[in-house]
Amino acid sequence: MEKQLVTLAIHTYEKAQILKTLLESEGIATYIHNVNQIQPVISAGVRIRIKESDLPRALRLIEDTQWLNEDEAKEVLGRENLKKVLIPVDFSDYSIKACEIGINHAHQIGAEVMLLHAYFSTYIPSALPFATREPVAAGIPNNENIHLVYKQVQKDIENICTLINRKMECGEWPRVKYNYILREGLPEEEIMAYAKEYHPTLIVMGTRGKNQKNADLIGSVTGEVIEQTKMPLLAIPEHVPFNNLSVIQRIAFAISFNQRDILAFDKFVDFFKEHPEKIQIQLFNISTSRNEWNDIRLSGLNEYLKKQYPDLKIAHTVLNDGDLLDAIETFVEEKQIDMIAFSTYRRSMITRIFNPSLARKMLFHSNTPLLVIPI
């Protein structure tokens, strides 16, 4: 029995008891070690241990329920309700591509779709210091100018709906329940704010991919949402060769040798539970240092995941030395990868500005779809 146990967490005695109760209520056998037998309540560093086979489920349970505030509790409840796909659009060709893939995916999982367009008004409130008191457009009052902007985006979103309806009627796209919403404000802020209200199962966003200019890295809406999202996000490059996620076969999964990898992998597997037998998974390290420990740890994690998910085809590759982004791109080409999956976690604004996440960097370095799994 002892050989099958792993340490899940180290807490005070009181917190260990709470966690033990939580896990056992979900059918996970839990054992507490290192307890002071004379005075249990003053035990320090109490270990909560569980069976190795229960580790992915336990991590997921803790992630969903531990220390929930009111807003986070609503998110958990929202995820358990109706499946929803949120597709932010900007009326570009690549956002139409995102609509196609998002609608096809929604049809497969029985989800509804919400199109979202966030527009930025040119109105500048005169109450602000240094704000102009002149009309934004010559001869047009500010409120009328705002109305004209709204009418234009209303027309644009209705044109997209007309296109979607036409494709559904002719059978090119599947029929799903969908709607749209318009929000005024900075796109990345409005997308995140609405996602918090809507609780989508998945956010699907289009991107120009590798053809974007380096300057776009700062202003990319998709890149900014990737850094902040709490929901899985699928970034679709403009020229991706497929229009349905069901055709995907080879997926690369980034490994950082962190406990979050196991939790992210479990969420990743859940995402493809509709057709797991088709998926071939290639684990890869996100460090190009040819340290022998990379190969050893990656191999060990590979074997562990094979035991946990015996129905999946899992292999691993240690990246070559050199620039990490180039190494990933070479790996993707050699293995003919259809999608790259990354796990992300919330970071401070300063960190995001001066050290963008690997997922965000890949957004501008690859024409391969990216699946971002927030942890």
Side-chain angles (χ1 to χ4, degrees):
M1 174 66 72
E2 289 294 324
K3 293 182 180 180
Q4 298 176 356
L5 298 181
V6 294
T7 298
L8 174 66
I10 301 176
H11 280 305
T12 62
Y13 179 76
E14 292 87 347
K15 288 187 177 181
Q17 287 288 357
I18 294 172
L19 183 55
K20 183 175 187 292
T21 301
L22 172 65
L23 294 172
E24 290 184 340
S25 69
E26 296 295 326
I28 299 176
T30 308
Y31 308 89
I32 295 180
H33 289 191
N34 294 354
V35 178
N36 185 323
Q37 298 297 328
I38 299 176
Q39 292 180 289
V41 294
I42 64 171
S43 298
V46 174
R47 294 178 179 270
I48 300 95
R49 308 196 75 195
I50 61 174
K51 292 180 181 179
E52 184 179 9
S53 58
D54 288 331
L55 184 57
R57 190 157 62 100
L59 288 173
R60 188 169 188 175
L61 178 64
I62 293 173
E63 180 71 16
D64 286 344
T65 59
Q66 190 178 27
W67 321 125
L68 290 180
N69 58 35
E70 184 177 353
D71 290 338
E72 290 171 331
K74 289 180 181 178
E75 287 185 22
V76 172
L77 292 175
R79 288 196 295 268
E80 294 174 352
N81 292 332
L82 178 67
K83 293 180 180 179
K84 306 170 184 176
V85 175
L86 176 62
I87 309 177
V89 296
D90 63 359
F91 315 127
S92 62
D93 290 341
Y94 52 86
S95 66
I96 298 299
K97 185 69 174 182
C99 285
E100 181 179 20
I101 290 180
I103 287 174
N104 276 316
H105 179 66
H107 177 70
Q108 290 175 346
I109 66 173
E112 66 176 33
V113 172
M114 180 64 74
L115 307 181
L116 166 65
H117 176 70
Y119 63 96
F120 189 70
S121 172
T122 55
Y123 170 62
I124 304 175
S126 59
L128 293 177
F130 310 112
T132 178
R133 293 181 180 273
E134 297 298 322
V136 175
I140 303 178
N142 281 330
N143 58 347
E144 185 176 343
N145 186 69
I146 294 171
H147 181 65
L148 290 176
V149 171
Y150 179 80
K151 285 182 65 177
Q152 182 59 51
V153 296
Q154 180 80 35
K155 180 180 178 181
D156 290 337
I157 195 72
E158 288 177 354
N159 286 340
I160 282 189
C161 291
T162 299
L163 173 65
I164 292 173
N165 292 338
R166 186 168 66 246
K167 288 183 176 293
M168 287 183 178
E169 288 170 2
C170 72
E172 188 175 346
W173 292 7
R175 290 184 179 274
V176 299
K177 178 183 177 182
Y178 81 95
N179 206 336
Y180 72 83
I181 185 170
L182 301 175
R183 306 262 295 209
E184 182 181 6
L186 292 175
E188 57 270 30
E189 293 181 1
E190 293 304 317
I191 291 170
M192 294 308 305
Y194 185 71
K196 191 174 182 179
E197 300 171 15
Y198 187 61
H199 307 296
T201 309
L202 177 69
I203 302 174
V204 182
M205 299 186 70
T207 174
R208 289 191 184 92
K210 196 173 183 178
N211 296 327
Q212 295 188 89
K213 299 177 181 178
N214 290 334
D216 290 341
L217 180 62
I218 301 299
S220 166
V221 174
T222 304
E224 190 61 33
V225 175
I226 281 177
E227 295 277 23
Q228 301 183 57
T229 183
K230 291 184 178 180
M231 296 83 176
L233 184 147
L234 182 62
I236 301 295
E238 183 176 8
H239 301 297
V240 69
F242 54 81
N243 56 18
N244 197 318
L245 297 184
S246 64
V247 304
I248 290 178
Q249 295 183 343
R250 293 171 291 274
I251 304 176
F253 188 90
I255 296 296
S256 59
F257 304 118
N258 188 290
Q259 181 172 286
R260 288 189 296 267
D261 292 336
I262 297 176
L263 182 58
F265 192 86
D266 189 59
K267 291 185 176 182
F268 161 77
V269 171
D270 187 62
F271 184 81
F272 287 98
K273 64 183 178 182
E274 302 296 329
H275 47 90
E277 70 285 347
K278 298 181 180 179
I279 302 300
Q280 301 173 29
I281 302 169
Q282 278 281 345
L283 308 178
F284 71 96
N285 57 298
I286 55 175
S287 168
T288 54
S289 172
R290 290 293 294 182
N291 188 317
E292 63 179 3
W293 282 107
N294 280 344
D295 196 5
I296 293 172
R297 289 188 295 177
L298 201 56
S299 178
L301 182 59
N302 186 3
E303 292 303 315
Y304 170 78
L305 293 176
K306 283 181 177 179
K307 291 180 182 178
Q308 298 299 316
Y309 308 95
D311 296 332
L312 296 180
K313 301 173 184 176
I314 306 175
H316 72 279
T317 298
V318 179
L319 297 186
N320 296 324
D321 286 335
D323 180 81
L324 177 58
L325 297 179
D326 290 338
I328 294 176
E329 191 65 14
T330 299
F331 157 69
V332 167
E333 292 176 1
E334 290 178 351
K335 299 295 183 179
Q336 298 181 315
I337 298 298
D338 299 318
M339 176 184 289
I340 308 173
F342 292 92
S343 62
T344 61
Y345 58 96
R346 293 294 297 274
R347 304 183 302 160
S348 69
M349 181 181 295
I350 296 297
T351 303
R352 296 200 306 269
I353 291 174
F354 291 101
N355 185 25
S357 68
L358 179 59
R360 180 169 182 168
K361 291 177 182 177
M362 283 301 299
L363 189 66
F364 306 91
H365 197 82
S366 174
N367 286 321
T368 305
L370 305 180
L371 176 62
V372 178
I373 305 169
I375 300 300

